[in-house]
Amino acid sequence: MNEKKIIKSLWIFFIGGLITIATYLFSVQVDFYHLYGGMPSTDVLENPQSELASELYTADGMLLGKYFDFRNNRSPITYEEIAPSMIHALIASEDCRFEQHAGIDLRGLTRAFFISILLQQNKGGGSTLTQQLAKNLFNIRKELNYKGKCSHIPLLNKLIFKTKEWLLAVQLERAYTKQEIIVMYLNTVTFGSNTYGIKVAARTFFNTKPIALRVEEAALLVGMLRAPTRYSPLIHPENAKHIRNIVLSLMVKNNFLKKSEYNLISEMPIELHYQEENYQQGIAPYFRAAARDFLLKWTQANGYDLFADGLRIYTTIDSRVQTHAEAALKEHMALLQGTFDEHWKNSNPWIDENGKEMDNYIETEIKKTKLYKKLLEKYGEDIEAIDTELHTAIPVELFSWQGPIKTIMSPFEKFKQHRRILQAGCMAMDPHTGHIKAWVGGINFAHFQYDHIKKSKRQAGSTFKPIVYTVALDNGYLPTDKVVDEPVPFLQYDGKIWTAQNAWKAYTRKKITLRYAMAKSYNSVTCYLVKQLTPKLVATYAQNMGIKGPLEAVPSIGLGSSDVSIYEMVGAYSTFLNKGVWTEPFFITHITDKQGNILQSFIPQTYEAIHEDTADLMTYMLKGSLDEGALRGVSSALKDNNEIAGKSGTTSNHSDGWFIGLTQGLCTGVWVGGEDRCIHFRDFELGQGAVTARPIWEKFILKLYNDPDTVYQKGPLVDPSIPLSEKVKNIIQTKKNYDVQPASDTSVNTSRDSNHTKKAVIEELDINNIF
């Protein structure tokens, strides 16, 4: 064969090879006869869908938390938000020719072919950053719509998948700039420890932002990309330091770092500020859980994925108010728990109505837990096996106010120990807008996840009484009206007589004003009003003021015998500061998609529940507690040059302590009690709401006043231009001039133009002598 024939054959072979390769690439691109499987469309390439965690923000712009399954725990950032050292480390380590190639690095492929394949030396592959990005964005190896008839053939399927990655890399290079590719890559990679994206990784490992990453931190994160578990600084710190220094040396080799800097940095130990993200960390964990329940329903109804669509949820919570509320609750509950433990000492606090310890209480209650249900699934009806596992000692973590206690104990004993812990809840709301500013659903979310704001409903005790007085004032009574403190018998449906006693088990038989009676929490006067107005009318008003749960229209309704939530009670009391208009408590203002487009804005339900004059009179009535009632013992720092109002409540066996407090621009509700109603103090002095719940409110409000960054300061409760006392005098004088008629027992006067009526002829005092 002569030279010309050889050259001709080579050219034919070369051109034929090019045609074959081009034909093959084209056939893969168009999925010829569905042999190879589809490719991402142009639209998908230009707008790749990266699954993102949804983020929850406070009203003051703080990231409150995220909703994600771990694969979606990522937050996108821009190129300008990434430290140059991070970009330099990435290019030096993963793709030193990144700026020169167009998606495929032929030199790198050749090196990978000869060294890694032919010589069987594992010196790394030839994939560029763009190819790796293609893998991250489009899972062509697993998704069915990217597989064809040849995808099941060994070796051939690998060639097809690799070809698609090459094609996608080239297309990505055409669609995006180099900077955009770097950003997309760092937003999609995983760094281990359930962290996806550079923003989450920087926060998780170093508690910083990507722009603030130091050279050694950036080198470590880039090194971890090669094998997140093997090079994890948490699991293998020596391996992590080794790979960090390799990346640093590559930065020197590629002129991103000076040799002198390398010598210094390479000797430095790894310093972590590790904090893995989860639902329990940070402020407002109970609120985040409550918001999650709402958002799951909303996303399902509106066709979104809370854990993958990168939604932005903006809430009404104020991070500063929330922080102060949590701190106040923890401070007081730690002290109260000490008192409770000393009160019961070695005795168990679960007692019956006769004050005796309840037999088999723990054995009965533990059967209601998730743990017991899991054991039932595991062992079926083998009660002995279940009992054995419940009483087998294992490593456990107990809650204590001094910090978690790790010990060896059986699940049964752990459950018993935790049942001795007092619980609490606190919610603060702007009465004018309905915005919930603080939501503290319990004492510790890690150990006690049941939310005591909205889910928990307990008897309200005397905090329900203001609703009875509201009905009275809205139907013609005045704060100055007097009623005799004496027994008020009710004939019940069963023919028996029920008569409520005052908390102090006695009656003065004297006439007292309604304002004084409410401040001192006279049961007799409350029952008198319930009897005159009827339980049905009281229940109707309560429901109109936001108590949406079932209410029994029975004689004891006015004493708080029905179960209510903090959420409902705060909404009801807020009506007093909002001119009689009930505003639904709510906690989300709007939701946007990841581009910032508003998907839905939320506006609370509002309506006039009581007359404006009634609201002012009730606010004035509640101020009476400052002089004679639950507020009498508050610190001068809180009441000096300030208007405050409120009402405490305690159930008959001291199992529930309540306090609802009003300050300028804020209505706050607090509940304290045991996990179960049978867990409580044995006497009223220790268990009353003024002792168990009110101090939390007091500490909370003082913290707000002492914080210059909050808007909550001392001031009048209602209209600053007219003192409340003057306004009340004018209202009372106007009402005295009405020519009134008796009202129907079942009517609800809510019209601002209607004449309010009185139910009985009662001796009245001079309006300047309130008591």
Side-chain angles (χ1 to χ4, degrees):
M1 184 179 291
N2 59 35
E3 184 177 344
K4 289 184 177 181
K5 287 184 177 181
I6 293 174
I7 294 174
K8 183 179 179 180
S9 297
L10 289 175
W11 272 108
I12 291 173
F13 179 78
F14 176 72
I15 294 172
L18 289 179
I19 293 173
T20 300
I21 292 173
T23 303
Y24 166 69
L25 293 175
F26 177 75
S27 65
V28 172
Q29 179 79 37
V30 300
D31 188 21
F32 184 71
Y33 276 100
H34 305 293
L35 294 173
Y36 311 102
M39 291 276 288
S41 66
T42 303
D43 290 339
V44 173
L45 277 169
E46 294 179 354
N47 298 282
Q49 298 298 312
S50 178
E51 294 183 332
L52 300 175
S54 293
E55 296 181 339
L56 194 71
Y57 289 92
T58 63
D60 52 316
M62 174 182 171
L63 177 61
L64 193 56
K66 299 195 294 184
Y67 299 109
F68 56 87
D69 57 18
F70 287 120
R71 64 187 170 85
N72 298 337
N73 183 18
R74 65 176 99 238
S75 298
I77 56 172
T78 63
Y79 188 85
E80 290 72 22
E81 296 176 283
I82 305 172
S85 58
M86 185 69 196
I87 296 170
H88 295 160
L90 181 64
I91 292 175
S93 175
E94 298 298 314
D95 190 356
C96 62
R97 287 174 42 77
F98 176 69
E99 295 293 342
Q100 284 76 47
H101 66 67
I104 301 175
D105 185 5
L106 294 179
R107 184 187 301 178
L109 282 175
T110 303
R111 175 183 56 81
F113 178 76
F114 282 104
I115 296 178
S116 298
I117 298 178
L118 295 183
L119 299 180
Q120 294 295 303
Q121 296 180 12
N122 187 12
K123 298 293 184 180
S127 292
T128 64
L129 282 177
T130 315
Q131 286 176 255
Q132 294 178 47
L133 175 61
K135 290 181 187 179
N136 295 339
L137 291 179
F138 312 105
N139 198 348
I140 57 177
R141 293 176 181 265
K142 292 184 179 180
E143 293 189 20
L144 292 176
N145 58 321
Y146 293 149
K147 291 185 177 181
K149 296 176 182 178
C150 297
S151 297
H152 66 282
I153 302 175
L155 297 180
L156 180 58
N157 60 1
K158 292 184 179 180
L159 175 61
I160 294 172
F161 293 145
K162 182 58 68 174
T163 302
K164 288 185 177 183
E165 288 176 5
W166 294 337
L167 293 172
L168 286 172
V170 172
Q171 290 176 298
L172 286 172
E173 288 277 351
R174 292 174 178 173
Y176 298 99
T177 66
K178 291 289 185 178
Q179 288 188 358
E180 289 172 332
I181 290 172
I182 284 281
V183 171
M184 291 169 69
Y185 178 85
L186 287 174
N187 279 335
T188 55
V189 290
T190 175
F191 294 85
S193 297
N194 297 316
T195 57
Y196 290 77
I198 182 60
K199 186 175 181 180
V200 176
R203 183 167 58 242
T204 299
F205 289 100
F206 303 110
N207 192 29
T208 190
K209 298 179 179 179
I211 190 63
L213 285 169
R214 300 196 297 265
V215 174
E216 65 273 17
E217 295 170 340
L220 174 59
L221 290 177
V222 169
M224 290 167 61
L225 291 175
R226 298 188 178 188
T229 301
R230 184 192 307 167
Y231 298 122
S232 168
L234 301 171
I235 305 173
H236 304 293
E238 290 302 319
N239 290 354
K241 184 176 180 180
H242 174 69
I243 196 65
R244 181 199 69 179
N245 289 348
I246 288 178
V247 175
L248 289 171
S249 67
L250 290 171
M251 293 178 70
V252 174
K253 180 180 177 181
N254 288 277
N255 299 317
F256 291 125
L257 188 68
K258 295 179 180 178
K259 180 65 175 177
S260 58
E261 293 177 307
Y262 168 81
N263 293 335
L264 177 64
I265 297 173
S266 63
E267 296 299 321
M268 296 173 61
I270 293 176
E271 294 184 6
L272 297 178
H273 296 279
Y274 183 78
Q275 186 175 13
E276 185 173 346
E277 293 193 9
N278 61 53
Y279 294 129
Q280 299 180 9
Q281 293 174 339
I283 65 170
Y286 290 95
F287 171 75
R288 283 182 273 134
R292 178 181 180 272
D293 292 342
F294 170 83
L295 290 166
L296 282 173
K297 294 178 182 177
W298 183 89
T299 50
Q300 184 177 10
N302 291 275
Y304 294 98
D305 186 340
L306 179 63
F307 305 109
D309 285 347
L311 303 177
R312 301 293 180 266
I313 302 104
Y314 296 89
T315 75
T316 62
I317 296 293
D318 186 308
S319 65
R320 296 153 297 192
V321 179
Q322 178 72 29
T323 299
H324 291 317
E326 290 183 4
L329 185 142
K330 290 177 181 178
E331 288 174 15
H332 177 68
M333 291 306 295
L335 296 173
L336 189 66
Q337 186 64 50
T339 303
F340 190 72
D341 292 341
E342 178 64 25
H343 178 71
W344 283 101
K345 294 185 178 178
N346 295 324
S347 300
N348 290 319
W350 34 89
I351 57 177
D352 59 21
E353 294 179 355
N354 299 317
K356 295 182 179 180
E357 182 180 338
M358 298 172 65
D359 295 333
N360 300 318
Y361 169 75
I362 297 298
E363 289 81 355
T364 302
E365 291 301 310
I366 202 170
K367 292 180 180 179
K368 302 175 183 178
T369 64
K370 291 181 180 179
L371 170 63
Y372 194 87
K373 292 176 182 177
K374 288 182 179 179
L375 293 178
L376 277 176
E377 293 177 1
K378 182 178 180 181
Y379 296 110
E381 297 301 319
D382 191 346
I383 303 302
E384 184 176 344
I386 294 175
D387 192 61
T388 298
E389 187 157 337
L390 284 176
H391 288 85
T392 300
I394 58 174
V396 298
E397 185 175 275
L398 295 174
F399 168 81
S400 82
W401 283 108
Q402 290 70 44
I405 301 173
K406 293 185 178 181
T407 185
I408 304 297
M409 181 182 289
S410 71
F412 183 88
E413 287 298 319
K414 177 185 177 181
F415 180 78
K416 184 177 179 180
Q417 286 289 100
H418 276 182
R419 278 284 156 144
R420 299 178 64 93
I421 305 297
L422 291 175
Q423 304 296 322
C426 174
M427 177 182 134
M429 167 182 147
D430 184 323
H432 307 296
T433 63
H435 289 191
I436 296 174
K437 295 299 180 182
W439 180 305
V440 190
I443 59 173
N444 185 286
F445 188 78
H447 291 279
F448 309 100
Q449 297 187 3
Y450 189 72
D451 193 313
H452 292 285
I453 297 299
K454 197 172 184 181
K455 288 184 178 179
S456 177
K457 292 195 175 187
R458 301 288 278 264
Q459 291 182 335
S462 293
T463 52
F464 197 89
K465 289 177 181 176
I467 295 179
V468 177
Y469 285 88
T470 298
V471 183
L473 296 179
D474 214 45
N475 284 274
Y477 288 93
L478 298 173
T480 52
D481 290 343
K482 298 180 75 179
V483 174
V484 177
D485 170 29
E486 61 184 4
V488 179
F490 284 86
L491 179 63
Q492 301 184 117
Y493 294 114
D494 58 5
K496 296 181 180 179
I497 300 296
W498 176 81
T499 304
Q501 292 184 321
N502 289 321
W504 46 92
K505 311 298 183 184
Y507 303 96
T508 64
R509 308 283 177 173
K510 295 180 181 179
K511 293 180 179 180
I512 54 177
T513 64
L514 296 188
R515 186 172 187 258
Y516 182 83
M518 194 184 81
K520 296 294 287 184
S521 208
Y522 278 79
N523 289 342
S524 59
V525 177
T526 303
C527 287
Y528 170 83
L529 294 174
V530 171
K531 191 169 186 178
Q532 297 298 315
L533 298 161
T534 75
K536 182 179 179 181
L537 186 60
V538 173
T540 300
Y541 264 83
Q543 291 167 343
N544 210 35
M545 293 174 67
I547 310 299
K548 302 302 182 182
L551 292 170
E552 291 187 281
V554 295
S556 61
I557 186 174
L559 306 184
S561 60
S562 294
D563 289 346
V564 296
S565 66
I566 297 175
Y567 178 90
E568 292 172 318
M569 291 299 287
V570 170
Y573 271 66
S574 292
T575 306
F576 304 139
L577 295 183
N578 197 32
K579 300 182 178 181
V581 176
W582 177 79
T583 301
E584 177 187 15
F586 81 116
F587 47 79
I588 293 177
T589 57
H590 62 285
I591 300 173
T592 73
D593 61 19
K594 58 187 176 184
Q595 282 82 32
N597 302 309
I598 294 179
L599 302 177
Q600 184 170 345
S601 295
F602 297 87
I603 300 174
Q605 179 185 6
T606 62
Y607 54 77
E608 185 178 327
I610 56 176
H611 195 279
E612 180 179 352
D613 289 348
T614 301
D616 287 336
L617 290 174
M618 274 308 305
T619 303
Y620 184 69
M621 293 269 284
L622 287 165
K623 277 189 64 181
S625 296
L626 181 63
D627 303 309
E628 299 292 340
L631 292 173
R632 185 173 50 183
V634 300
S635 67
S636 58
L638 183 58
K639 61 185 179 182
D640 288 352
N641 302 314
N642 194 27
E643 278 192 348
I644 57 176
K647 185 75 181 74
S648 64
T650 313
T651 53
S652 56
N653 62 357
H654 334 302
S655 63
D656 302 286
W658 290 78
F659 186 79
I660 315 290
L662 306 179
T663 52
Q664 186 185 69
L666 209 62
C667 177
T668 306
V670 181
W671 167 87
V672 174
E675 192 77 34
D676 206 334
R677 299 173 199 263
C678 63
I679 302 170
H680 51 78
F681 285 100
R682 283 172 289 199
D683 59 75
F684 180 79
E685 290 303 317
L686 290 174
Q688 62 177 307
V691 173
T692 62
R694 194 201 72 197
I696 294 175
W697 172 80
E698 184 175 353
K699 288 176 180 289
F700 167 53
I701 299 301
L702 284 175
K703 288 178 183 293
L704 289 181
Y705 288 166
N706 292 328
D707 185 347
D709 292 329
T710 70
V711 298
Y712 301 99
Q713 300 298 326
K714 293 182 176 181
L717 284 169
V718 191
D719 187 351
S721 63
I722 305 175
L724 182 60
S725 57
E726 291 298 320
K727 195 171 186 179
V728 168
K729 287 181 180 179
N730 293 336
I731 293 171
I732 293 176
Q733 188 61 62
T734 301
K735 289 179 177 294
K736 282 175 172 288
N737 295 332
Y738 281 149
D739 180 18
V740 298
Q741 300 295 326
S744 167
D745 286 351
T746 58
S747 65
V748 180
N749 293 326
T750 57
S751 170
R752 295 184 183 276
D753 298 323
S754 64
N755 289 344
H756 284 219
T757 61
K758 295 183 67 174
K759 282 292 299 159
V761 178
I762 303 175
E763 179 182 349
E764 299 180 13
L765 298 180
D766 184 272
I767 60 174
N768 293 308
N769 185 3
I770 296 299
F771 289 106

